[in-house]
Amino acid sequence: MTSQEVEVLVVGAGQAGVAMSEHLSERGISHLVLERHRIAERWRTMRWDSLVANGPAWHDRFPGLEFTDVEPGEFPSKEQVADYFVAYAEKIGAPIRCGVEVQSVRRNVGTPGFQVETSDGEFKARYVVAATGPFQRPVIPAVVPETADLVQMHSSSYRNPGQLPEGAVLVVGAGSSGVQIAAEIQRSGRQVFLSVGPHDRPPRNYRGRDFCWWLGVLGKWDASTPAAGAEHVTIAVSGADGGHTVDFRALAESGIKLVGRTTAFDNGTMRFAGDLRDNIENGDAHYLELLDEADAYIERNGLDLPDEPEARLLRPDPESLTNPIRELDLAGAGVASIVWATGFAVDYSWLQVDAFDEKGKPLQQRGVSTEPGVYFLGLPWQSRRGSSFIWGVWHDAKYVADQITIQRSYLDHNQQHALVTSGAV
């Protein structure tokens, strides 16, 4: 079979792959984007039915196109986000080939570039960009055995309360996914237990401005590294129901029972750490700290924004906080299912190059890997806090395209030098 040759092969046609295609095209660099499913497939099929973006439409988009079917301050549905990327790919004429799975990438021996095996034959590529993002393999902690009499699913498989068996539900995870899923299930009439770990809890809106705006003007999106100990702290924020601040005390008032981190399961009993109060109070502290910084910014810049003293009022502690549950007999509490909103791990098993540490984590700096010619895009904290967000990945793609351009210039110089020394020029 004859190999197809391409200068830059981009793997994945989500937000990262589409952004990468735009910047490569602007530089006149020949490339091809391979996607094993459809453009932005994970937005369509690895999210629950009612999901909306966590950022407003004016913020969570690429610079070159606005949402046409969503007001700037509204939160697009998952289907609207996916359709947006399809429209963007059409707008820029992205060379995307869907339905092609990349099975392996290996460096050539004795010649530059890489040999790429796919479901549509072989490719030869001078450069490879892994734009598959961070949400590749759902992670369910090895706590409850599969033989337990419980339905267990990851949040990426959850669609709506109707797919769960009758009975109470334990939701594990206090990030955006966990709190939104827990609230939806509770509204459906079921008892919900929500396992709350460490989290950052920003205000959805403060003094007339969305938290995305505040993180921007306060320079927090551009932070290059997470604070010490906060590498894996999740952000609890929601665009659901028009957007609102996540308030765990309010969730408890709605009937959700809060518990600490899920730590162990033994003979039908789930055990939780005694960290619930610390987690809630640390989240409150981060929340109030951001309000303080916002107030200081307003005063420093002389902005005329409305006062909002009520934003600092915290609800009373619920029973689950004053008298925390440390052990729960799941059958006795009627719990029939567990939804694990516990994040994802990367899976680069197809990328068989020297660009990973012993845990399979990419070895890279701002997307430039330790394997010459291989680049990553869409990773959390790739260059800044905003890297894994829609607008952030667009800016990271620009940097990666610049680095590919630089490497091409060296290659062009080497080829020109060879021609001169051989007398061909």
Side-chain angles (χ1 to χ4, degrees), residues 122-336:
E122 298 179 351
F123 289 81
K124 290 182 178 180
R126 183 64 184 86
Y127 307 98
V128 174
V129 180
T132 50
F135 307 123
Q136 298 167 24
R137 180 169 56 83
V139 172
I140 295 180
V143 176
V144 181
E146 295 182 1
T147 55
D149 189 21
L150 291 159
V151 170
Q152 300 185 68
M153 68 176 62
H154 190 267
S155 57
S156 60
S157 298
Y158 170 82
R159 296 294 174 265
N160 55 67
Q163 75 183 122
L164 301 174
E166 293 296 324
V169 182
L170 170 63
V171 178
V172 182
S176 297
S177 297
V179 296
Q180 291 179 56
I181 290 172
E184 178 177 84
I185 296 173
Q186 182 73 17
R187 287 195 300 268
S188 75
R190 301 167 186 261
Q191 177 62 65
V192 174
F193 297 84
L194 177 60
S195 179
V196 180
H199 60 272
D200 191 356
R201 187 174 74 87
R204 172 75 269 175
N205 191 287
Y206 181 58
R207 299 186 68 172
R209 297 291 184 270
D210 188 85
F211 101 97
C212 290
W213 188 85
W214 282 117
L215 264 58
V217 299
L218 295 174
K220 295 184 179 295
W221 285 127
D222 290 327
S224 59
T225 56
E231 292 86 352
H232 305 293
V233 173
T234 186
I235 297 179
V237 66
S238 176
D241 303 317
H244 61 274
T245 299
V246 171
D247 186 337
F248 289 95
R249 292 178 176 84
L251 290 173
E253 286 182 6
S254 75
I256 292 175
K257 294 185 178 181
L258 307 179
V259 294
R261 283 182 304 108
T262 298
T263 58
F265 175 84
D266 182 44
N267 197 27
T269 297
M270 192 73 86
R271 293 186 172 84
F272 308 101
D275 59 355
L276 178 60
R277 177 172 291 279
D278 286 344
N279 294 334
I280 297 294
E281 291 182 348
N282 287 339
D284 293 340
H286 292 140
Y287 168 83
L288 295 171
E289 181 182 355
L290 186 57
L291 300 191
D292 290 341
E293 292 184 51
D295 288 341
Y297 180 88
I298 291 171
E299 182 176 359
R300 185 168 63 249
N301 290 278
L303 301 183
D304 184 19
L305 296 178
D307 290 330
E308 196 176 338
E310 63 274 15
R312 295 180 177 275
L313 300 179
L314 301 178
R315 287 177 165 83
D317 289 345
E319 171 70 14
S320 55
L321 200 58
T322 58
N323 186 25
I325 299 171
R326 295 295 303 276
E327 295 186 352
L328 183 66
D329 178 354
L330 297 184
V335 174

Side-chain angles (χ1 to χ4, degrees), residues 52 229 382:
V52 298
Q382 180 161 311

